Amino acid sequence: MIDTQLLQRGIRDERVLTAMARVPRHEFVADSYRAQAYDDNPLPIGEGQTISQPYIVALMLEMLEVSEEDIVLEIGTGSGYQTALLAQLSRHVYSIERHATLAAKAQAALAKLGYTNVTIEVGDGSKGLSAHAPFDGIVVSAAAPDLPPALFEQLKEGGRLVVPVGPTEAQFLQLVTKKEGKPVLSEQIPCRFVPLIGEQGYRA
Ligand code: SAH
């Protein structure tokens, strides 16, 4: 996975590559998908949702440039796989998932692997998590119609927000930084994510 899917496609961040070599992706999929856990595609995780393709996860983490001092917010816990990677890379991860069943499974997988710097909440992540804001970095694993204002608001000055923005069929993965309180868009990569369902996302 690391060689053919990440290195060959240009992922260079050593911390990201090391974290991806360490976190056992098969622990985040159902037993029936274990044999395919390291394949080059997303896989079903229940509730009509998917665990993201390894390359996309690596790309998002590389764009986010998390440091070990950072407090990060993740929207769309899903399987908890990317949450585990963020836990390896940062000081603390707050992660929000709208499906309680997925949040519970992710929590169990993360506990089994011994991660203690993760807080998972069930709710609408499109509104962020104001109680713990501001964040050094925010990563959204579901597609938003526009940049969700609450999330930008909860980003620290100089912080980085990685979010897929666009119509439900296809989006651009955007890197937005906060400079003098304003959003600066610096990267746009075509992508396709499940929709962000919520107040500042799409309607259910
Ligand atoms: N990185 C995760 C991706 C999961 S897919 C993984 O690799 O497993 C995206 C997740 O976002 C889904 O689980 C979906 O239920 C969740 N989601 C969608 N809208 C949401 C919202 N408003 N708040 C929180 N989670 C949301």
Side-chain angles (χ1 to χ4, degrees):
M1 178 183 92
I2 304 280
D3 283 346
T4 59
Q5 299 175 40
L6 309 186
L7 282 167
Q8 285 186 26
R9 289 192 194 135
I11 301 294
R12 288 289 172 267
D13 186 321
E14 283 297 332
R15 294 186 72 235
V16 170
L17 292 166
T18 305
M20 293 204 52
R22 271 193 200 146
V23 175
R25 185 169 160 94
H26 60 269
E27 296 285 355
F28 296 89
V29 300
D31 289 344
S32 49
Y33 286 107
R34 282 215 164 186
Q36 289 147 263
Y38 297 88
D39 288 0
D40 190 14
N41 46 254
L43 292 170
I45 54 170
E47 305 287 358
Q49 308 300 321
T50 54
I51 179 173
S52 307
Q53 180 190 15
Y55 171 69
I56 287 292
V57 175
L59 186 62
M60 293 178 93
L61 293 172
E62 192 167 73
M63 288 165 85
L64 199 60
E65 287 184 14
V66 189
S67 88
E68 54 198 9
E69 292 305 312
D70 287 354
I71 306 289
V72 297
L73 175 66
E74 175 187 46
I75 312 302
T77 317
S79 66
Y81 174 61
Q82 181 173 268
T83 321
L85 292 160
L86 287 167
Q88 291 267 348
L89 294 167
S90 70
R91 181 143 57 102
H92 198 93
V93 191
Y94 292 93
S95 185
I96 314 179
E97 170 55 52
R98 67 184 281 269
H99 287 290
T101 48
L102 297 182
K105 273 196 246 174
Q107 183 100 59
L110 290 161
K112 184 180 168 193
L113 295 172
Y115 291 104
T116 53
N117 59 336
V118 176
T119 308
I120 296 183
E121 305 240 350
V122 177
D124 176 8
S126 73
K127 295 185 287 183
L129 195 59
S130 53
H132 297 282
F135 301 98
D136 299 290
I138 301 179
V139 59
V140 187
S141 296
D146 300 292
L147 181 67
L151 297 183
F152 183 71
E153 163 89 33
Q154 291 172 27
L155 193 63
K156 266 189 200 163
E157 174 63 26
R160 298 163 81 84
L161 169 56
V162 175
V163 54
V165 175
T168 48
E169 319 79 65
Q171 309 92 31
F172 283 104
L173 188 58
Q174 300 192 339
L175 169 61
V176 177
T177 38
K178 193 181 250 189
K179 292 205 175 121
E180 292 167 8
K182 296 203 173 59
V184 177
L185 175 66
S186 53
E187 267 187 76
Q188 291 223 76
I189 298 162
C191 62
R192 186 172 182 170
F193 281 80
V194 297
L196 179 74
I197 308 285
E199 209 175 283
Q200 298 190 12
Y202 286 98
R203 303 252 163 249

